[in-house]
Amino acid sequence: MIEDIKRDLLEIYKNKPHRMRHIEGVLQTAIEFGKKFKLDLHKLELAALLHDITKYYPLNEQKEIIKANYSNADYILNNYNDKILHSYSAAFVAKEKYGITDNDVLGAIMHHTIGKANMNMYEKIIFLSDYIEPGRVYESCVKARELAKDNIDLAVYAAIDDSIIFYEKEKVNIPRESYQARAYYKKLLEELIWLKYN
C-alpha cells in the first residue's frame, strides 16, 4: 500500500514539488519521533504520507466530501477556515481510497492542522511533524523544533499557540477545538511544573 500511496502522491504533486518535499519532511520527522517513542512506524508513515493528499482538491470538492461523510459537517464548514478543511477530506480519502481503518492513523490525519485536547502520541507526532519538518523555517517553527528536543507537549503547546495567533491575525475562522487544545496543554504543562517543584 505504501508504494501505491507514494506513486499517487508523485502524480498528484508532479507540478508542486514543494508539497512533495513537505510531505517527505513530515515523514522523516515523524519516523524520528516514532523511533524515539517506540511507536508503530508503519502507522506514522501512512499518516505522514496521506495528511495532505487533498490539500489542493478544489474547495467545493472538499466541502462536498465533508458534507457527505461527517455528521458534524455543518459545524466543520462553519467554524473551520478553508486552509484547514483538507484535514477532514484527507482522512476520508485515506479511509475510502486506501482502506485505512486504524483510528490512530485517521485521527492523526484529521487533527494535523490545529491539534486537539488530549491527543494520543500518533496525533501529537503528525501534528508536530507537520509544523516543524525541516522545510519550515519560520521563527515559530524553529522555536517549536527546539522545544521538541526536550518536551513534546511543550512543543505541541507552542505550535498550537502560534497557529492561533497566526489565524487571529489573518481574521479567519478558528474552531473552538484550537482554543480547547491550547488550554489543555497549558494546564498539563502547569501541572507538570507544579509536580516537579512540590
Side-chain angles (χ1 to χ4, degrees), residues 32-47:
E32 288 170 4
F33 276 126
K35 288 176 180 175
K36 179 178 179 179
F37 293 106
K38 296 180 172 51
L39 298 176
D40 185 325
L41 301 185
H42 181 65
K43 289 185 181 186
L44 288 170
E45 187 173 16
L46 287 171

Side-chain angles (χ1 to χ4, degrees), residues 2-17 19-21 23-24 49 53 98:
I2 294 291
E3 291 309 311
D4 291 338
I5 293 170
K6 287 181 176 178
R7 189 164 47 248
D8 289 349
L9 287 170
L10 286 171
E11 177 60 27
I12 291 166
Y13 294 126
K14 62 185 176 186
N15 296 320
K16 292 183 172 63
R19 183 54 47 182
M20 265 319 295
R21 285 193 297 272
I23 291 168
E24 289 162 358
L49 289 172
I53 195 152
Y98 298 103

Side-chain angles (χ1 to χ4, degrees), residues 76-110:
I76 295 168
L77 295 173
N78 289 322
N79 291 279
Y80 282 65
N81 68 69
D82 293 346
K83 292 179 181 177
I84 56 180
L85 290 178
H86 70 279
S87 58
Y88 283 90
S89 54
F92 172 77
V93 168
K95 186 175 182 180
E96 288 302 306
K97 183 171 183 179
Y98 298 103
I100 294 169
T101 56
D102 189 294
N103 287 328
D104 288 332
V105 177
L106 296 175
I109 295 169
M110 192 178 299

